[in-house]
Amino acid sequence: MADVLFTNVRVIDGSGGDPFAGQVLVRGNRIAKVAKAGEALDVSGAETVDGGGATLMPGLIEPHAHISFCDTPDLETLGDIPPEEHTLKTMKYAKKMLDQGFTAIFSAAAAKPRLDIVIRNAIDAGDIPGPRMRAASPELTPTSGLGDVRRWHMHRETFAMTCDGADEFRKVAREMVREGVDTLKMNPSGDEFIPFARAHETIMNEAEIAAVCEVGHSRGKKIAAHARSALSVKLCVKHGAQVLYHCTLSDEEALDMLEAKKDEVFVAPTAGMAYVTSIGEGRDYGIDAEHPVAQFFAAELETGAKNMKELKRRGVRVLPGGDYGFAWNPIGTNARDLEHFVKLLDFTPLEAIRAATQYSGELFGEAIGLVQEGYLADLLLVDGDPAKDVKILQDAGRLLGIMKDGGFHKHPAGSRQRGLAAAE
Ligand SMILES: [Zn+2]
């Protein structure tokens, strides 16, 4: 792997600090030196990439990935996909995430027990292209919980593994540890599109939540929770789940508990799914803006936005990641969440970028997410200034270069050639 020197770039380092003109030297798979304009660098032997004034920033990190959800319109359709086809589709979506500038993804549940695991392993082995990946279990849910699509008279599958009682949750969590997950995902609350398990309902009991957390803690795995209801947030914080998705219906006590654990927990509201559903982008799939689920999401966005602003004010790390993986909120459009953070949650563009880089890197648990000496060289060369307009990051055509682990997935020279060809 050749060393690479980026010259003539404006650096957004991911820390929330102001962009600066400079040069960045990558040696092997790490960032060796970050120099401000005017500083001299020893660059013997490095390939020089002249950025031409473009922005160099950390690769985006998705903290709520569902690359095996395959953009299906409903949970039952997802369950219909046989494992062999499902593996190939997941492989395709892994590449798509990297093509869109996501150099790392933290899975928020796989659709089948071993899907994330095999894709992560194949990426790590260099067999297929894809981002760095933390592999999750399917969603562990109780009978009549979010993801239990069975009917009394027939068998149906979905993304969930159904467990009842602390012993069953513990056993399935241990099985998933044996198979090789990094993250255990559980569904302690319902969701508004499940008539028998609504968003405000807490559907796992405390012993079940504690059992999953106990396995995660004792085996060094992260615990991620689908927690919309206030009680589910409190129980998850109490038992040490590190990643709380949604938290939109949190009450004052839940906010206080999250604040007290602000150095340990991460909150991701999943603004994307709520927003596109609320404005009726699901109309082709039977959920227009008048649909009760869309109306719930519209109301939840207001409560959720208020809570997220408050959590941010109190120093809790609020992360993007909007449940991309469904037909009207497809995989690959994940960078829309940064725009939602700016528009809905009053983040500045640099704050939104920090959430998707430094903070999401802290969740991922490796030295990624900052343009800083010693960090792994996951970098984007971007045409334009995302600090002024984060929407730029949604357009893969504006990503001139995508580097993961010190190697180019997309080389800037190729992008420039394509640009020239288009101009002719
Ligand atoms: Zn999700």
Side-chain angles (χ1 to χ4, degrees):
M1 189 188 297
D3 297 340
V4 176
L5 175 71
F6 292 95
T7 62
N8 198 11
V9 288
R10 189 184 333 94
V11 178
I12 293 176
D13 69 6
S15 72
D18 286 336
F20 57 89
Q23 301 189 358
V24 173
L25 177 64
V26 173
R27 281 208 194 283
N29 69 341
R30 301 231 172 224
I31 297 166
K33 185 78 186 159
V34 180
K36 299 215 166 161
E39 273 181 64
L41 280 182
D42 171 20
V43 295
S44 49
E47 174 197 352
T48 299
V49 172
D50 182 343
T55 300
L56 190 75
M57 60 175 281
L60 296 169
I61 302 166
E62 168 58 77
H64 187 138
H66 287 307
I67 59 166
S68 59
F69 279 20
C70 297
D71 299 343
T72 52
D74 55 57
L75 306 186
E76 291 82 355
T77 310
L78 189 54
D80 285 343
I81 307 172
E84 296 82 359
E85 282 88 338
H86 213 152
T87 309
L88 293 172
K89 284 174 188 282
T90 307
M91 179 175 84
K92 178 186 81 174
Y93 287 117
K95 177 176 181 293
K96 191 169 197 177
M97 291 298 292
L98 187 54
D99 290 341
Q100 292 294 134
F102 286 85
T103 50
I105 60 174
F106 182 95
S107 179
K112 287 182 170 62
R114 300 189 67 255
L115 273 177
D116 272 2
I117 297 164
V118 296
I119 295 298
R120 177 203 62 198
N121 292 350
I123 292 170
D124 287 351
D127 292 337
I128 61 171
R132 293 177 199 280
M133 190 171 162
R134 292 286 184 248
S137 69
E139 314 207 357
L140 309 189
T141 203
T143 294
S144 78
L146 165 61
D148 179 8
V149 296
R150 296 168 302 172
R151 293 290 177 270
W152 197 257
H153 64 292
M154 65 188 289
H155 182 80
R156 285 202 308 207
E157 285 291 341
T158 175
F159 58 44
M161 294 172 84
T162 312
C163 318
D164 288 293
D167 286 345
E168 275 189 28
F169 273 96
R170 192 179 290 111
K171 180 173 184 188
V172 172
R174 285 174 172 165
E175 284 173 342
M176 293 315 303
V177 169
R178 180 191 68 208
E179 294 302 316
V181 296
D182 303 302
T183 304
L184 296 166
K185 173 71 183 287
M186 62 178 171
N187 287 350
S189 88
D191 211 318
E192 206 55 18
F193 61 94
I194 310 294
F196 47 80
R198 305 277 295 277
H200 65 275
E201 294 181 53
T202 303
I203 58 176
M204 285 171 67
N205 66 34
E206 183 167 0
E208 293 169 331
I209 292 168
V212 176
C213 290
E214 174 211 312
V215 175
H217 292 145
S218 65
R219 309 304 289 277
K221 307 297 176 187
K222 290 241 165 66
I223 303 124
H226 172 97
R228 286 192 189 275
S229 72
L231 177 59
S232 69
V233 172
K234 293 176 212 175
L235 292 174
C236 286
V237 175
K238 178 179 173 188
H239 290 283
Q242 300 96 336
V243 198
L244 281 82
Y245 294 127
H246 311 295
C247 297
T248 36
L249 306 180
S250 294
D251 59 17
E252 197 59 29
E253 189 185 7
L255 297 177
D256 288 344
M257 289 177 71
L258 287 165
E259 183 184 4
K261 291 266 184 87
K262 68 182 175 191
D263 295 328
E264 289 140 66
V265 300
F266 298 86
V267 170
T270 63
M273 188 55 161
Y275 178 74
V276 299
T277 308
S278 73
I279 62 169
E281 289 189 17
R283 67 184 74 78
D284 291 348
Y285 307 94
I287 303 181
D288 60 23
E290 307 306 315
H291 192 283
V293 170
Q295 305 224 321
F296 166 81
F297 278 136
E300 191 209 31
L301 269 176
E302 274 191 45
T303 324
K306 196 167 132 274
N307 282 333
M308 293 310 131
K309 289 177 197 173
E310 181 60 18
L311 287 172
K312 175 169 172 268
R313 193 185 68 72
R314 299 188 192 195
V316 176
R317 289 164 292 187
V318 178
L319 309 182
D323 253 334
Y324 297 87
F326 294 93
W328 62 97
N329 194 42
I331 298 162
T333 62
N334 307 53
R336 278 184 87 180
D337 245 58
L338 279 75
E339 183 188 356
H340 299 323
F341 269 43
V342 171
K343 280 192 176 160
L344 304 172
L345 307 184
D346 293 343
F347 278 54
T348 67
L350 281 173
E351 286 173 339
I353 290 169
R354 185 186 202 185
T357 56
Q358 181 187 4
Y359 289 159
S360 294
E362 288 169 4
L363 166 65
F364 196 87
E366 268 191 74
I368 55 173
L370 287 174
V371 182
Q372 201 175 89
E373 287 162 24
Y375 270 65
L376 290 161
D378 291 1
L379 298 166
L380 303 180
L381 187 66
V382 184
D383 170 25
D385 187 0
K388 290 207 176 75
D389 181 10
V390 283
K391 275 175 78 173
I392 290 171
L393 296 170
Q394 297 170 31
D395 180 359
R398 303 288 291 270
L399 306 178
L400 304 171
I402 301 171
M403 176 180 269
K404 180 195 146 196
D405 209 35
F408 279 112
H409 170 69
K410 182 181 188 181
H411 197 289
S415 301
R416 292 227 168 78
Q417 273 167 8
R418 280 192 295 280
L420 284 174
E424 278 164 10

